[in-house]
Amino acid sequence: MQKNIMRMGFVILMANCFHVNAQYILQDSTSKRYFIGSTFFVLGNFAQTNKPDFAQLNFGYRITEKDVVSLELKTWKYSWPLGIPYGASFEAPEEKFPGYIREYGFALVYQRFWWKGLYTGIHVMNAWQSFMDENNQKIDNGFQIFNTYRLGYHIKLFKNRFFIEPSLAVTHRIYHTEMPDGFKQQDDKWSKFFYGEPGLHFGFNF
């Protein structure tokens, strides 16, 4: 699913490369300081297997033409350690948790625009976890701080009413509580970092 999102973002970026503009000029009456949005990762809910049951809602505010802050509300579930890189072990049966982790949380986001729509961003997510066994019974609770370091491009659409942001990111689990047996053994095999996560956010300006 992540690979499909990356391909989709690349196609959209190429299709719009001749129409990109500078970041919003807030004195311009067509520019809006607020936005609401989400990410195309929600399309993963239509997958035939390993559906993430993912939901995300973003609320953002443009402080200046180059500085943007937002709040992201999220929930999802996953059955493999988040540090497994793309390759033979990615979602391999032998690397699967003995159940899954359901998370609810929020992320505080800061974006800095450097040139036209090019930006860097940091997302700091506080996530409360429920560890579920293979019979869908909760066996423990947990908590983690999950950071995302993102490089992306902001593309305006439909006279600045909408936008999309294809991006690539490094994710970092900077802190987490101890996992229950079975989950911990699988997770300890892998890095706390994941490199090259594709992203494709979208939003509506108002």
Side-chain angles (χ1 to χ4, degrees):
M1 184 62 205
Q2 290 180 330
K3 293 179 181 178
N4 290 337
I5 290 173
M6 186 163 58
R7 293 190 189 102
M8 185 187 306
F10 181 76
V11 170
I12 294 173
L13 177 61
M14 291 299 101
N16 288 275
C17 64
F18 297 109
H19 303 285
V20 294
N21 298 309
Q23 178 55 4
Y24 295 86
I25 300 172
L26 296 180
Q27 290 78 16
D28 184 341
S29 61
T30 64
S31 293
K32 310 294 184 184
R33 284 188 178 271
Y34 297 92
F35 61 87
I36 186 171
S38 186
T39 165
F40 283 103
F41 189 66
V42 295
L43 297 177
N45 296 328
F46 295 102
Q48 296 297 314
T49 59
N50 305 326
K51 293 190 295 185
D53 293 343
F54 177 87
Q56 178 172 327
L57 186 60
N58 305 341
F59 301 94
Y61 178 72
R62 296 185 175 87
I63 302 171
T64 69
E65 295 164 10
K66 293 184 177 295
D67 302 287
V68 180
V69 294
S70 57
L71 172 68
E72 297 180 344
L73 306 177
K74 304 180 185 181
T75 181
W76 68 321
K77 68 177 185 182
Y78 52 95
S79 302
W80 282 266
L82 297 177
I84 301 178
Y86 294 128
S89 297
F90 191 79
E91 297 191 354
E94 63 273 19
E95 304 299 341
K96 190 176 182 298
F97 288 135
Y100 65 90
I101 302 173
R102 161 63 68 182
E103 288 190 350
Y104 297 91
F106 67 89
L108 301 175
V109 183
Y110 170 71
Q111 290 172 283
R112 175 69 178 180
F113 286 81
W114 300 99
W115 177 75
K116 294 190 175 182
L118 183 68
Y119 72 89
T120 53
I122 179 170
H123 306 232
V124 180
M125 180 178 177
N126 299 269
W128 286 262
Q129 301 171 312
S130 294
F131 292 87
M132 313 296 290
D133 66 17
E134 293 176 338
N135 297 314
N136 210 33
Q137 299 297 310
K138 185 163 76 171
I139 57 175
D140 205 351
N141 293 314
F143 174 80
Q144 73 171 351
I145 297 176
F146 185 92
N147 290 354
T148 303
Y149 314 110
R150 194 175 298 282
L151 173 66
Y153 203 94
H154 181 101
I155 300 170
K156 301 173 185 176
L157 299 172
F158 305 113
K159 298 181 179 179
N160 302 343
R161 290 186 177 89
F162 297 90
F163 66 85
I164 57 171
E165 293 178 340
S167 64
L168 282 176
V170 176
T171 64
H172 179 203
R173 290 182 299 144
I174 192 169
Y175 168 80
H176 63 80
T177 54
E178 185 164 328
M179 295 181 172
D181 288 344
F183 288 80
K184 175 175 169 52
Q185 285 75 10
Q186 293 292 72
D187 189 73
D188 284 350
K189 298 178 184 177
W190 303 99
S191 170
K192 304 301 181 187
F193 289 89
F194 182 88
Y195 299 91
E197 180 187 85
L200 187 54
H201 289 69
F202 62 90
F204 170 74
N205 297 314
F206 64 97

